[in-house]
Amino acid sequence: MRPRANLRLPARVRSTPQRRAGLDAIASATGAFTAAEIYDRARATAPKLGLATVYRTIELLRRAGSVRPLAGEGRPAYVRCRPGHHHHLVCVACGSVEETELCAAPPAAELARRYGFAADTHEVDFYGTCRRCA
Amino acid sequence: MRPRANLRLPARVRSTPQRRAGLDAIASATGAFTAAEIYDRARATAPKLGLATVYRTIELLRRAGSVRPLAGEGRPAYVRCRPGHHHHLVCVACGSVEETELCAAPPAAELARRYGFAADTHEVDFYGTCRRCA
DNA sequence: ATAACTGCAAACGGTTTGCAAGTCT
DNA sequence: AGACTTGCAAACCGTTTGCAGTTAT
């Protein structure tokens, strides 16, 4: 559980029952989630919801920075997150995802100096066992 | 081009023409590569090679730590790499991939203290522009 | 001799797309 | 009214799998 993230649709899009249902399902997700899970959950309130619409809603939120695809091990999944720089602690036991502002990235200046590499972004995900699954 | 990595099959597997072809194609890859690219390239030397065999060869090397799936943006791909702890600098312009041993990952102790999280592994990939594409 | 390996083709799972019908503003 | 959104079903893409035949050891 947890104080639910304030999750909103981007400015210029319409508010439809389907989007609200998807949004609510994502807002109440506790950890990593898949599109199918959101689909199942959201259909409780919007029975005729289509899976494609769920994907479209996720994409909407991804562009807004409120959802990220999770790259690592196992099945593809997404995480709800706040915009801005942070990384994820992914529990391989229960799938919960916690955010941390601790950043594993060497400073860009160091990469530039040593490799001539201009880093735009980086992806960092930690995989391990969370407190409750320990 | 570049000094080619010494890329070898794991100990207990058989050396077949198909595997050698796949192995060579991977060994001579300059940056990130897809299974389909390896397939195309390897068929020059092993015309009857099947795509499934390419995947099986990649999996072999992945388990040996010589190849990693690349998570980030864009199409799925793999990178050849040496075993051991390191991260990747992925050029979004040309697709080249460089390894760096630089790692500023927060020490496991810090994650444990702050989040009760026991980190097993982490994935870090940098996306930006390499020296030549600057 | 035999266990490992291969190609093929079909199956798979997640995601995307084209389109006609419906809905928000 | 008009642009945006939706559901549906089919298409897509990368990957995996079952299997009968082949090959390295």
Side-chain angles (χ1 to χ4, degrees):
Chain A
M1 292 301 103
R2 256 332 139 67
R4 125 167 1 187
N6 66 328
L7 200 51
R8 284 184 305 181
L9 288 169
R12 290 263 150 215
V13 306
R14 292 185 184 166
S15 172
T16 67
Q18 296 88 333
R19 281 186 179 159
R20 273 177 257 125
L23 198 78
D24 286 350
I26 293 171
S28 62
T30 62
F33 56 85
T34 64
E37 284 163 13
I38 297 304
Y39 177 54
D40 287 339
R41 205 116 55 74
R43 262 190 310 178
T45 39
K48 339 190 69 173
L49 179 64
L51 183 52
T53 298
V54 171
Y55 278 105
R56 294 189 266 237
T57 302
I58 290 175
E59 174 61 14
L60 232 41
L61 294 171
R62 192 196 59 74
R63 278 193 252 182
S66 302
V67 158
R68 283 189 200 171
L70 206 55
E73 334 273 318
R75 308 285 147 253
Y78 304 89
V79 238
R80 166 172 50 91
C81 58
R82 47 176 230 288
H85 195 111
H86 65 274
H87 301 295
H88 295 126
L89 307 178
V90 184
C91 179
V92 297
C94 70
S96 74
V97 178
E98 196 160 8
E99 295 185 358
T100 175
E101 85 286 3
L102 292 177
C103 178
E110 180 72 5
L111 293 174
R113 190 173 65 71
R114 295 185 45 166
Y115 303 97
F117 187 87
D120 290 332
T121 62
H122 58 266
E123 305 233 335
V124 184
D125 294 310
F126 296 91
Y127 297 88
T129 313
C130 74
R131 172 176 283 127
R132 288 192 356 212
C133 293
Chain B
M1 294 302 102
R2 251 339 134 66
R4 128 169 354 186
N6 67 327
L7 200 51
R8 284 184 306 181
L9 289 169
R12 291 263 148 214
V13 306
R14 292 184 183 170
S15 173
T16 67
Q18 295 89 333
R19 282 187 178 158
R20 272 177 258 126
L23 197 79
D24 285 351
I26 292 172
S28 61
T30 62
F33 56 85
T34 64
E37 285 163 12
I38 297 305
Y39 177 54
D40 287 340
R41 206 117 54 73
R43 261 191 310 179
T45 40
K48 341 189 68 174
L49 180 64
L51 183 52
T53 298
V54 170
Y55 278 105
R56 295 190 265 236
T57 302
I58 289 175
E59 173 61 13
L60 230 42
L61 293 171
R62 192 196 60 72
R63 277 193 253 181
S66 302
V67 158
R68 282 189 202 172
L70 208 54
E73 335 272 318
R75 306 286 146 251
Y78 305 88
V79 239
R80 167 172 49 92
C81 61
R82 49 174 230 288
H85 195 110
H86 64 275
H87 301 295
H88 293 127
L89 308 177
V90 184
C91 179
V92 298
C94 69
S96 74
V97 178
E98 195 161 8
E99 296 184 357
T100 175
E101 84 286 4
L102 289 178
C103 177
E110 180 73 5
L111 293 175
R113 189 173 67 71
R114 292 179 55 160
Y115 302 99
F117 187 87
D120 291 333
T121 62
H122 59 267
E123 305 232 334
V124 184
D125 294 310
F126 297 90
Y127 297 88
T129 313
C130 74
R131 173 175 282 126
R132 289 188 2 205
C133 293

